[in-house]
Amino acid sequence: MLDVSVIEDAEAAAVSLDPIRARLLGELAAGPASATMLAGRVGLPRQKVNYHLKALERHGLVELAGERKKGNVTERLMRATAASYVISPLALAAVQPDPARFRDQLSARWLLAVAARLVRDVGTLITGADRAGKRMATYALDGEVRFASAAERAAFVEELTHGVSALLAKYHDEDAEGGRPHRIVIALHPTVQNPAPAATPIAPPEESS
């Protein structure tokens, strides 16, 4: 099982966003289970669970983990292909954010567009590396700073800009033979104080789909 899987296909994204299927993905990320086992957990008929599992399996979101005999019946044990999923902006390719449309380093929406591009590009690289059976070299710096005032924050941004710009000028070699370009993204935003609440249990639907 992967730690994180990137969903680039629009249909796969739609399947994963269905509330019942998202709940099933969460259950299967915790460990393999059969349709019968899942039915008891989510309060749905086994046939209904099987219907949703097949949709998830078609799009590579769950896979067969094994089989077990239960009386005269052979149950399929399914598992999620990843512990968590990220939907790439490629799933909404026609309307995905484009940081090149405007550039405002103090704009939260521009930051969001840059972050979306980061998810898209890294997701594409991960997919390509997985298909080629190769590892991808990456690096991320994650930290938190508490500013005493808005003036301190502005001073920090100015120093950060000058420092990173100096590093870029020092190491960038436009004419390096065999060199490979790398994108640098450094983001600064207020820390989110209240994380999103956990998903609430899903009631059985009134009508079968």
Side-chain angles (χ1 to χ4, degrees):
M1 178 189 290
L2 300 172
D3 290 333
V4 182
S5 182
V6 181
I7 299 174
E8 297 179 326
D9 178 72
E11 291 186 6
V15 167
S16 70
L17 290 172
D18 176 270
I20 294 174
R21 293 167 184 170
R23 170 73 183 277
L24 293 175
L25 278 178
E27 293 288 343
L28 293 175
S34 67
T36 301
M37 296 165 62
L38 291 168
R41 297 177 191 174
V42 301
L44 291 173
R46 179 179 59 82
Q47 293 85 350
K48 184 72 172 179
V49 171
N50 259 327
Y51 167 81
H52 290 301
L53 288 177
K54 288 178 181 177
L56 291 168
E57 188 176 13
R58 277 197 304 273
H59 293 284
L61 301 174
V62 302
E63 62 187 3
L64 183 66
E67 296 179 335
R68 71 175 184 179
K69 282 279 190 180
K70 192 173 183 181
N72 296 325
V73 177
T74 300
E75 287 190 330
R76 302 175 80 226
L77 295 173
M78 307 301 294
R79 67 183 174 195
T81 53
S84 57
Y85 299 85
V86 173
I87 296 178
S88 169
L90 285 177
L92 291 171
V95 291
Q96 63 178 308
D98 182 6
R101 289 176 187 155
F102 67 100
R103 183 182 179 88
D104 181 355
Q105 290 174 295
L106 299 179
S107 166
R109 297 187 187 280
W110 187 74
L111 172 58
L112 188 62
V114 171
R117 183 185 62 191
L118 180 65
V119 171
R120 182 198 67 195
D121 291 352
V122 175
T124 299
L125 290 169
I126 288 175
T127 300
D130 287 345
R131 289 173 180 169
K134 297 181 179 180
R135 297 186 63 183
M136 184 179 64
T138 61
Y139 169 77
L141 177 63
D142 180 29
E144 185 172 343
V145 57
R146 185 180 181 90
F147 298 111
S149 65
E152 289 281 314
R153 178 186 179 281
F156 175 86
V157 170
E158 184 176 358
E159 285 191 48
L160 181 65
T161 301
H162 289 321
V164 173
S165 296
L167 282 173
L168 292 175
K170 177 179 179 180
Y171 288 100
H172 178 66
D173 189 342
E174 187 68 35
D175 302 317
E177 185 176 351
R180 182 175 182 180
H182 287 67
R183 183 175 297 280
I184 308 297
V185 177
I186 297 176
L188 174 67
H189 60 81
T191 302
V192 177
Q193 298 295 335
N194 299 313
T200 55
I202 299 169
E206 295 180 0
E207 297 181 1
S208 176
S209 58

